Amino acid sequence: MPAMNIVYEYQNNLYVNLTNRCTNKCKFCIRFTPSGVDNIDLWLEHEPSTKEVISALEEKNFKEYDEVIFCGYGEPMLQYEVLIDAAKYIKENSDLKVRINTNGHANRAAGKDITPLLKGLVDCISISLNAENAQKYNDICVCDYGEEGFYEMLDFAKKASKYVDEVVLSVVDVIGKEEIEACRKIAEETGVEFRVREYSE
Ligand code: SF4
């Protein structure tokens, strides 16, 4: 079986890859490009267990980094039990910051509110807002839940902000000034931070 890139280094941080699955099929998703990130093959042969994630972290000497980020290939919170257990291990064994990059559909996918589990284990959650309304969101993200995916994501952000210090809704700068301002207002109304990310191909 080929080695899987469960944990990889990128721009001096450590990234954890838990799944290929996602509840979106965003038109810009790196899963649909053959080279992955920086030519690192991120396609997983199987979804890693907590034990596999911990041994991959140890192999990378994770304590030497500043931050561990649970992100992709797919949507990391679809594997939320493994993520929580791995975050617990990181927090018990280091002072590292733990961040999750997510589409915010975890509660809908799990069929329950899982945000209380994040308390004390996750320092930052960055959620892709992507668009100013549900229709535009679904046009870009082609969500399994249709336009409801937009509202699920906002509800998740609001709930997560009770347990996580830094919750951020983010957009990329290519959407234009007017839509960026509309998205900023949504973040304010949701009671979370807002960030504009630079678009990179
Ligand atoms: S939410 Fe992320 S992983 Fe899922 S399709 Fe969109 S870009 Fe890809």
Side-chain angles (χ1 to χ4, degrees), residues 35-195:
S35 54
V37 175
D38 249 17
N39 290 321
I40 303 167
D41 181 7
L42 296 177
W43 195 260
L44 295 166
E45 294 295 321
H46 65 268
E47 294 192 337
S49 63
T50 304
K51 204 172 156 198
E52 286 176 299
V53 174
I54 289 171
S55 73
L57 284 165
E58 289 290 1
E59 268 172 40
K60 289 279 184 191
N61 294 324
F62 73 99
K63 290 171 202 167
E64 291 176 10
Y65 292 81
D66 295 329
E67 192 173 9
V68 174
I69 300 146
F70 293 88
C71 57
Y73 240 2
E75 166 48 48
M77 296 205 78
L78 290 179
Q79 276 256 73
Y80 76 90
E81 284 154 321
V82 171
L83 189 158
I84 296 293
D85 288 345
K88 206 174 280 175
Y89 182 84
I90 292 164
K91 287 293 182 190
E92 281 170 0
N93 291 282
S94 74
D95 298 322
L96 262 65
K97 187 174 174 187
V98 172
R99 172 156 59 105
I100 304 174
N101 290 349
T102 179
N103 65 13
H105 294 160
N107 286 350
R108 173 69 178 259
K112 60 184 177 184
D113 180 12
I114 61 165
T115 57
L117 302 174
L118 305 169
K119 193 176 178 188
L121 301 178
V122 176
D123 303 285
C124 174
I125 298 193
S126 180
I127 305 167
S128 305
L129 174 58
N130 287 321
E132 64 183 322
N133 63 43
Q135 190 193 334
K136 282 189 183 178
Y137 178 85
N138 196 38
D139 283 349
I140 299 165
C141 298
V142 193
C143 182
D144 287 356
Y145 311 124
E147 293 182 11
E148 284 176 31
F150 181 77
Y151 302 107
E152 294 287 348
M153 173 256 301
L154 294 178
D155 185 61
F156 176 84
K158 192 174 267 183
K159 288 189 166 114
S161 67
K162 286 191 252 168
Y163 306 103
V164 175
D165 284 347
E166 194 183 353
V167 176
V168 182
L169 285 172
S170 74
V171 296
V172 281
D173 55 4
V174 290
I175 62 174
K177 273 188 188 165
E178 218 170 281
E179 188 161 5
I180 286 174
E181 287 318 306
C183 289
R184 189 188 307 279
K185 198 157 173 266
I186 291 171
E188 277 169 18
E189 286 164 3
T190 309
V192 300
E193 293 177 39
F194 179 65
R195 192 164 300 149

